[in-house]
Amino acid sequence: MDLVFDVGNTETVIGWFQDSELRGHWRVSTDSRRTADEYGLILVQLLSASGVGSSPVRAATIGSVVPAMTTVLRDACRRYLAVSAIDVNARTPLPITLDVDEPLTVGADRIVNTLAAQRMFGTDTVVVDLGTATTFDCITRDGVFIGGVISPGVKTAASSLTDRTAKLPRVELVPPQRVIGRRTDACIQSGIFYGAVDAIDGTVTRIREEWGSDNLLVVATGGLAELIGPHCRTVQRIEPYLTLYGLEFAREHLAGVEP
């Protein structure tokens, strides 16, 4: 069994693989104030509750945009699972190219999204990752990351709206029944949801025009992919756990395993 950790600013997604297949996944809060012991116990409990606690963990791979969390998770894996976790970052020797002005600043999530897109799709791809931030990763068919777009995430924008206004209530992020709201909460829901949808479609349209690729695939991933993606006209495929697969592909490559 192989574990992978996709550490985002808000949540950490943990996946476990067997024979290169994703067999399970969990979400926990990203909190660098927690100790290695706390995360170690969380891991043990998750594995036990899922019925896989008896299977030995062979490897662990971390992709993190929160540096403090990397050390904590590595210590937790070493102490509680008896494995040395691999940290995937811009210096990791992977079969992709970061063709941007400052390659060492590219986040681990965008790196493994590039690797996953090249392995899984083999065509020019825009990966729309819907998390704390919404990122648009532009990846060529040959696995070259040529840049992209970073914008506020859907929940980040929604929190900013309600936190900065005295009378606007927090609302659940769900597809509204209609665009024109007749109550304040319905108006907010519509604005947040369709604002996100149209922002994605508009940004992808601009990327498509600028890139000029003939066979551009648009893939949505991340925690909100299954909620937002189906409503976007430009999104052609939804792969909510693309980043987890990218981390497993990275582990396989570094271990010398043939695809």
Side-chain angles (χ1 to χ4, degrees):
M1 176 174 58
D2 304 320
L3 285 183
V4 298
F5 299 84
D6 172 22
V7 183
N9 287 290
T10 304
E11 294 181 334
T12 295
V13 186
I14 307 166
W16 72 275
F17 285 80
Q18 192 79 43
D19 299 324
S20 300
E21 290 296 325
L22 181 63
R23 302 296 179 89
H25 50 80
W26 310 278
R27 289 182 182 271
V28 299
S29 297
T30 297
D31 186 352
S32 57
R33 295 172 299 178
R34 282 178 171 165
T35 66
D37 290 325
E38 289 176 296
Y39 274 110
L41 291 173
I42 288 172
L43 289 173
V44 171
Q45 291 171 351
L46 288 173
L47 292 169
S48 176
S50 301
V52 295
S54 60
S55 301
V57 176
R58 181 180 62 173
T61 309
I62 301 170
S64 174
V65 298
V66 185
M69 281 291 297
T70 304
T71 300
V72 171
L73 289 175
R74 289 181 70 175
D75 287 347
C77 288
R78 178 175 52 82
R79 295 181 194 176
Y80 287 84
L81 304 178
V83 295
S84 297
I86 299 169
D87 172 26
V88 175
N89 55 55
R91 298 183 186 275
T92 304
L94 297 174
I96 58 172
T97 302
L98 303 177
D99 186 17
V100 291
D101 292 343
E102 298 178 330
L104 294 181
T105 66
V106 178
D109 52 346
R110 309 181 81 185
I111 292 168
V112 295
N113 282 347
T114 301
L115 179 60
Q118 195 278 329
R119 283 278 298 270
M120 296 173 67
F121 313 129
T123 189
D124 293 344
T125 303
V126 177
V127 176
V128 184
D129 195 336
L130 291 145
T132 305
T134 298
T135 59
F136 301 77
D137 301 330
C138 300
I139 302 149
T140 72
R141 61 176 60 87
D142 300 319
V144 179
F145 174 67
I146 60 172
V149 177
I150 301 175
S151 62
V154 182
K155 290 184 177 180
T156 303
S159 295
S160 178
L161 174 66
T162 55
D163 289 348
R164 293 176 178 272
T165 51
K167 293 188 177 182
L168 294 185
R170 290 183 177 271
V171 297
E172 184 181 3
L173 183 59
V174 294
Q177 294 182 349
R178 51 185 291 165
V179 175
I180 303 173
R182 294 176 60 83
R183 295 166 49 94
T184 298
D185 56 353
C187 293
I188 296 172
Q189 280 183 325
S190 180
I192 292 170
F193 190 86
Y194 287 116
V197 167
D198 291 345
I200 291 168
D201 284 338
T203 302
V204 169
T205 298
R206 289 179 180 275
I207 289 172
R208 190 185 297 275
E209 292 172 352
E210 184 172 303
W211 193 339
S213 174
D214 295 330
N215 298 298
L216 191 63
L217 176 67
V218 181
V219 180
T221 192
L224 297 177
E226 293 176 297
L227 176 66
I228 303 291
H231 298 268
C232 298
R233 297 185 179 92
T234 56
V235 171
Q236 299 155 279
R237 184 162 175 169
I238 297 173
E239 295 285 348
Y241 302 107
L242 182 73
T243 310
L244 298 184
Y245 275 99
L247 287 165
E248 177 64 2
F249 294 153
R251 184 204 63 79
E252 291 177 350
H253 175 77
L254 295 171
V257 178
E258 290 296 327

